[in-house]
Amino acid sequence: MEQSVLLTGAGGRVGTAILDDLAEDYDWRLLDREPLTGEYAETHDSVVADIVDETAVREAIEGVDVVIHLAGDPRPEAPWDSVLRNNIDGTQTVLEAAVDADVEKVVFASSNHAVGAFETDERTPDLYRVHDEFRLDGTELPRPGNLYGVSKAAGETLGRYYHDEYGLSVCCVRIGNLTKDHPPVDYERGQAMWLSYRDCAHLFDRAIEADYGYEIVYGISDNDRKYYSLERAREVLGYEPRDNSAAHE
Amino acid sequence: MEQSVLLTGAGGRVGTAILDDLAEDYDWRLLDREPLTGEYAETHDSVVADIVDETAVREAIEGVDVVIHLAGDPRPEAPWDSVLRNNIDGTQTVLEAAVDADVEKVVFASSNHAVGAFETDERTPDLYRVHDEFRLDGTELPRPGNLYGVSKAAGETLGRYYHDEYGLSVCCVRIGNLTKDHPPVDYERGQAMWLSYRDCAHLFDRAIEADYGYEIVYGISDNDRKYYSLERAREVLGYEPRDNSAAHE
């Protein structure tokens, strides 16, 4: 039987990349703060709710096997009050409801901004170039480059807690720079952490299917310029990226 | 000239341990949600304010050199709404105000609960015993044992951000089990992470005086049973603990 998956923030860019490739593969329930438009709204079960509305979130989560939690304020420059509420409190609401509803897995959209402050003046721009061997692998302590990144790191720690305390499987994906069709042009940082739409869908597909306890993985294509390791994503999830920003330079 | 130090949560246990030994050593400003009682209230500048009252916090912080930030909900079993507000939002309020007031250093009272879930069934009770060689040294990712611990880990990440972004010196002290006079009796965990009052005061004294950028240190006495490393506290802060719970067994 198809697994049922709640997708929060379904109307955003990551949600779109996932649905473009996986719409037919799961029994989706789509949640967004705004009514969804387009084909997926017509063909799938959908819910309009704010992610901090505990009652609505609990109702939406009831009966699903997996939650992909993307909802939140996606702006790197978002102010504290917004990320505190939407990203930190919102993620706690989802995790708590997931445990209470006996969900198996939560896949959490974390961000490269959780570790953005590793990109110091001393390291850049070399960090974004092929010869540079510096790598982050997800075992390092977060160094957020903004308050949005702080909120994503907090979401990861919440995931760790809900895994340790309740046995929930949690995979945090530190999403890079997701763009359609081709990598950012004239932007080395974006090329280093490019995530193509199809690699994005494939990565979340693997996160739905694979067995794990608690994981932090980097969500990027196999870019020559990368400074994020893909080892955990490959080993634990079976991620096999097909794209590389170098092919577009 | 004496350094001026704002002590938030001054009326709590950690604040008391600090003031008992250091009342005469700094120009203190004491802040607490409740009016302070006892000798320190009479002899020191004090402010009654909630830690999430941004205006009051900004006023209290104006002109001080260092902030020791202890205020927050101290209960390991505190509910999410309380730690979200008092511990996470409260710490952001303090750090933001500290940057704006050109404070040099913030010393943040983190907690052993930020890493409490390392104490798994497989590791305990051996973890609390002298022969066991497992050590946490502050470079490991947090594994909170409760939502209070999640809030403390989030406070540490906020500190990392305000250090990286604004150059604020931040020291996070993962405080162990602080008790007066003698370590907990018949409680191996408490003996492993005991922090005596005088070692507590000395550690915060060193955190006021030493030079550092961003640090996470463990705040315990030099207990034979310890599984937290004291290396960073010794090396960076010059911490020289005088107590050991083994002397009381």
Side-chain angles (χ1 to χ4, degrees):
Chain A
M1 211 182 81
E2 269 180 351
Q3 289 197 80
S4 60
V5 185
L6 172 68
L7 183 65
T8 76
R13 201 141 46 109
V14 180
T16 302
I18 291 171
L19 291 171
D20 281 354
D21 274 13
L22 307 175
E24 307 306 321
D25 297 357
Y26 298 99
D27 177 14
W28 293 101
R29 192 175 297 170
L30 310 180
L31 182 147
D32 205 283
R33 202 165 58 165
E34 305 292 332
L36 294 173
T37 55
E39 53 173 326
Y40 305 125
E42 287 159 29
T43 50
H44 295 79
D45 189 11
S46 70
V47 181
V48 179
D50 195 292
I51 203 64
V52 295
D53 178 344
E54 190 183 322
T55 307
V57 167
R58 284 182 178 275
E59 204 172 309
I61 230 164
E62 199 59 50
V64 304
D65 300 310
V66 175
V67 177
I68 295 183
H69 175 47
L70 312 175
D73 190 328
R75 297 171 297 161
E77 71 283 6
W80 173 247
D81 286 351
S82 177
V83 298
L84 180 71
R85 174 184 160 85
N86 294 300
N87 300 10
I88 301 180
D89 197 17
T91 298
Q92 193 273 341
T93 300
V94 168
L95 289 164
E96 183 86 25
V99 164
D100 289 344
D102 287 329
V103 162
E104 286 165 28
K105 257 175 222 170
V106 173
V107 186
F108 170 59
S110 184
S111 166
N112 65 82
H113 292 280
V115 290
F118 281 99
E119 298 166 48
T120 56
D121 290 344
E122 292 71 36
R123 289 201 181 105
T124 57
D126 281 348
L127 186 62
Y128 310 134
R129 294 177 180 171
V130 177
H131 65 85
D132 193 85
E133 294 184 356
F134 183 84
R135 289 284 182 284
L136 298 176
D137 66 7
T139 61
E140 59 282 338
L141 282 167
R143 286 186 65 175
N146 43 46
L147 291 168
Y148 166 78
V150 171
S151 76
K152 290 300 182 180
E156 293 177 355
T157 308
L158 278 163
R160 177 84 242 186
Y161 167 68
Y162 281 95
H163 167 68
D164 282 334
E165 186 70 15
Y166 300 104
L168 183 70
S169 294
V170 176
C171 181
C172 306
V173 181
R174 290 181 177 163
I175 297 170
N177 195 321
L178 178 70
T179 59
K180 201 164 184 177
D181 301 330
H182 63 79
V185 177
D186 292 336
Y187 179 43
E188 291 184 284
R189 180 178 190 272
Q191 290 160 1
M193 60 173 72
W194 185 45
L195 177 61
S196 71
Y197 266 45
R198 67 178 180 174
D199 283 343
C200 178
H202 165 62
L203 178 55
F204 278 90
D205 190 30
R206 295 308 314 151
I208 293 170
E209 298 294 340
D211 286 321
Y212 48 82
Y214 176 81
E215 291 294 330
I216 294 174
V217 299
Y218 283 99
I220 60 171
S221 292
D222 191 14
N223 310 309
D224 287 353
R225 289 178 177 274
K226 68 179 175 291
Y227 58 91
Y228 296 152
S229 169
L230 292 174
E231 285 311 301
R232 289 302 288 180
R234 287 185 193 276
E235 281 174 26
V236 177
L237 305 183
Y239 175 53
E240 294 176 8
R242 287 182 292 174
D243 290 307
N244 179 344
S245 58
H248 301 259
E249 284 181 38
Chain B
M1 210 183 81
E2 268 180 351
Q3 291 197 79
S4 60
V5 185
L6 172 66
L7 184 65
T8 76
R13 203 140 45 110
V14 179
T16 303
I18 291 171
L19 291 170
D20 280 355
D21 274 14
L22 306 175
E24 306 306 321
D25 297 356
Y26 298 98
D27 177 14
W28 293 101
R29 192 173 298 170
L30 310 179
L31 182 147
D32 205 283
R33 201 164 59 165
E34 305 291 332
L36 294 172
T37 55
E39 55 175 325
Y40 305 125
E42 287 159 29
T43 51
H44 295 80
D45 189 10
S46 69
V47 181
V48 178
D50 194 294
I51 203 64
V52 294
D53 179 344
E54 190 182 324
T55 307
V57 167
R58 284 183 178 275
E59 203 172 308
I61 230 163
E62 199 58 50
V64 304
D65 301 307
V66 175
V67 177
I68 295 183
H69 175 47
L70 313 174
D73 190 328
R75 298 170 297 160
E77 71 284 5
W80 173 247
D81 286 352
S82 177
V83 298
L84 180 72
R85 174 184 161 85
N86 295 300
N87 300 11
I88 301 179
D89 197 19
T91 297
Q92 193 272 341
T93 300
V94 167
L95 289 164
E96 184 86 27
V99 164
D100 289 345
D102 286 328
V103 163
E104 287 166 29
K105 255 174 225 171
V106 173
V107 187
F108 170 59
S110 185
S111 166
N112 65 81
H113 292 281
V115 290
F118 281 99
E119 298 164 49
T120 56
D121 290 345
E122 292 70 38
R123 288 200 182 105
T124 58
D126 280 349
L127 187 63
Y128 310 134
R129 293 177 180 170
V130 178
H131 66 85
D132 192 85
E133 294 184 355
F134 183 85
R135 288 284 183 282
L136 297 175
D137 65 8
T139 61
E140 60 282 337
L141 284 166
R143 287 186 65 174
N146 44 48
L147 290 166
Y148 166 79
V150 170
S151 77
K152 290 299 181 181
E156 294 178 357
T157 308
L158 279 162
R160 177 83 242 187
Y161 167 69
Y162 281 94
H163 167 69
D164 283 332
E165 186 70 16
Y166 301 103
L168 182 70
S169 294
V170 176
C171 181
C172 306
V173 182
R174 289 183 179 163
I175 297 170
N177 195 321
L178 178 70
T179 60
K180 201 165 185 176
D181 301 330
H182 63 78
V185 177
D186 293 335
Y187 178 44
E188 290 184 286
R189 179 178 190 272
Q191 290 161 2
M193 60 173 71
W194 185 46
L195 177 62
S196 72
Y197 266 45
R198 67 179 180 176
D199 283 342
C200 178
H202 165 62
L203 178 56
F204 279 89
D205 190 31
R206 295 308 314 151
I208 293 170
E209 299 293 339
D211 287 323
Y212 48 83
Y214 176 80
E215 291 294 331
I216 294 174
V217 300
Y218 283 99
I220 60 171
S221 291
D222 191 15
N223 310 308
D224 288 352
R225 289 179 179 272
K226 69 179 173 290
Y227 58 92
Y228 296 152
S229 168
L230 291 174
E231 285 311 301
R232 289 301 289 180
R234 287 184 193 277
E235 281 174 26
V236 177
L237 305 182
Y239 176 53
E240 295 175 6
R242 287 182 293 173
D243 291 306
N244 178 344
S245 57
H248 300 260
E249 284 179 36

